[in-house]
Amino acid sequence: MTPSAVLFDMDGVLVRSEEAWLRVLEDAGRRFRGSPVTREEFAPTFGQGTAEDVRVFGLHCTPAELDAFYVEHLPRYAGEVWVNPDARELLETLAARGLRRAVVTNSVSPLARALLGAAHLLDFFEVLACSDLVVNAKPAPDLVLYALGRLGVEPGSALMVGDSRFDRGAAGAAGVRFVGLGLDGDARIERLGELLRFTAGPGSPGAR
């Protein structure tokens, strides 16, 4: 079945900002626990929500205080953010096919807008589902359900593409088909552009 909407994780799918986030968490560790978060601590946690950052890294602050720190400090590392070269053409094609489009991210709204704006991708999305808009971040289903509600789409008519267990868990909990980018799911792709084969109607280029 051809979906009517595609939901995208942001980091690791549309952009890669691991190095920028590592730098910010090094700074946050210095500020809120007296020592920088190390690469070894950070690597297995990338993609989790702010509340988990506070808990896992032992930071002496609230999630709201940490979000404010991120909003203030991440932009200085924006030059280290990589933009997926497949993203723009894919999004243009999905828009031309009439598919609805949303971002589902554990980042807060100001950061998501800043990163997508810097990548020149922000205008392709009708909805940004960000962690400050719901109670529970991924892997809970809240963000996925928020995006679907804003788009007016049922779970069975959407698919979600992501690259982490947090994305897979959120999609599954919401009843949305999950396409893993370099990750097993209901389907798997190795390049973002391969997603087109799951969104082409009968007779469309790439349909199968």
Side-chain angles (χ1 to χ4, degrees), residues 7-16 18 82-87 90 159-165 167-168 177-198:
L7 313 181
F8 292 84
D9 174 47
M10 183 176 67
D11 259 304
V13 173
L14 300 169
V15 299
R16 288 182 189 159
E18 290 97 327
W82 172 89
V83 181
N84 192 315
D86 290 350
L90 170 65
L159 62 80
M160 179 172 172
V161 58
D163 71 320
S164 76
R165 58 190 173 91
D167 303 320
R168 182 171 56 199
R177 290 173 294 161
F178 179 72
V179 179
L181 179 59
L183 180 75
D184 290 337
D186 298 306
R188 177 175 177 139
I189 57 176
E190 302 302 328
R191 289 181 55 95
L192 186 58
E194 296 172 31
L195 188 68
L196 284 177
R197 73 174 186 260
F198 299 103

Side-chain angles (χ1 to χ4, degrees), residues 16-78:
R16 288 182 189 159
S17 59
E18 290 97 327
E19 288 303 312
W21 277 108
L22 174 61
R23 302 294 174 243
V24 171
L25 277 161
E26 288 173 343
D27 294 342
R30 294 185 186 98
R31 169 67 177 82
F32 295 116
R33 74 176 192 186
S35 63
V37 172
T38 67
R39 186 178 295 274
E40 290 71 27
E41 289 178 288
F42 168 75
T45 69
F46 185 65
Q48 68 186 13
T50 306
E52 282 296 286
D53 286 348
V54 171
R55 183 186 69 82
V56 171
F57 301 129
L59 304 179
H60 303 296
C61 61
T62 66
E65 289 170 333
L66 186 57
D67 274 331
F69 185 91
Y70 289 161
V71 169
E72 179 181 358
H73 293 276
L74 185 64
R76 74 175 66 175
Y77 301 111

